[in-house]
Amino acid sequence: MLHHVELYVSDLNKSLIAWDWLLIELGYTVYQQWEQGKSYRHGETYLVFVQTEPAYLEPPYHRKRTGLNHLAFHAGSVEQLESFRSRLSRYGFNELYADRFPYAGGPNYVALYFEDPDRIKVELVATM
């Protein structure tokens, strides 16, 4: 079982605008908060967002480099995906594969794909 994931972000305030909305909508609650970070808990697992120190901001994150490619979350129905989709941009997310929504992952896989302000890819998977 996964205990927690810690993500370093280039602009904590910008990231928290996006992630706070998304994670609260997905049923997470605020777990911890301090000047340089914030975490969200769902069950026994939590996600942590920490401000990257200035000396480590370059090169910026890219999901195609070695390391984390994306985070995927359970998201309920296709209607819920459509609801999330309609609000992504106002919270700083950028939709990916919009021309293939909701089947960008294939004909039997219903999901919404987008990037956060640091271009960390996020996937919301609908229950079939």
Side-chain angles (χ1 to χ4, degrees), residues 2 4 9 15-17 20 22 31 33 35 53 57-59 61-62 66-67 75 77-78 84 96 100 102 119-120 125:
L2 186 64
H4 72 276
V9 296
S15 291
L16 291 180
I17 289 169
D20 190 75
L22 179 65
Y31 179 48
Q33 190 166 357
E35 186 177 335
E53 295 175 33
L57 287 170
E58 294 295 330
Y61 168 82
H62 197 287
T66 301
S77 68
V78 176
F84 279 110
L96 300 171
R100 294 183 277 155
R119 300 195 65 205
I120 296 171
V125 183

Side-chain angles (χ1 to χ4, degrees), residues 78-114:
V78 176
E79 291 76 24
Q80 287 171 305
L81 291 185
E82 290 170 349
S83 176
F84 279 110
R85 185 180 192 215
S86 71
R87 297 176 286 160
L88 288 175
S89 63
R90 79 177 78 147
Y91 292 100
F93 288 110
N94 180 45
E95 185 176 0
L96 300 171
Y97 325 122
D99 59 323
R100 294 183 277 155
F101 174 79
Y103 299 106
N108 298 314
Y109 192 79
V110 177
L112 173 63
Y113 299 87
F114 48 98

Side-chain angles (χ1 to χ4, degrees), residues 10-108:
S10 65
D11 182 328
L12 183 63
N13 292 328
K14 191 183 289 186
S15 291
L16 291 180
I17 289 169
W19 285 99
D20 190 75
W21 164 73
L22 179 65
L23 294 174
I24 298 300
E25 287 281 321
L26 291 173
Y28 284 74
T29 57
V30 174
Y31 179 48
Q32 301 161 316
Q33 190 166 357
W34 63 102
E35 186 177 335
Q36 297 300 313
K38 189 171 185 177
S39 67
Y40 301 84
R41 184 179 202 117
H42 192 285
E44 295 298 314
T45 304
Y46 60 98
L47 291 169
V48 185
F49 299 88
V50 178
Q51 175 62 53
T52 302
E53 295 175 33
Y56 300 103
L57 287 170
E58 294 295 330
Y61 168 82
H62 197 287
R63 70 178 181 271
K64 292 194 176 183
R65 290 191 184 112
T66 301
L68 178 75
N69 177 268
H70 69 281
L71 295 171
F73 298 89
H74 294 280
S77 68
V78 176
E79 291 76 24
Q80 287 171 305
L81 291 185
E82 290 170 349
S83 176
F84 279 110
R85 185 180 192 215
S86 71
R87 297 176 286 160
L88 288 175
S89 63
R90 79 177 78 147
Y91 292 100
F93 288 110
N94 180 45
E95 185 176 0
L96 300 171
Y97 325 122
D99 59 323
R100 294 183 277 155
F101 174 79
Y103 299 106
N108 298 314

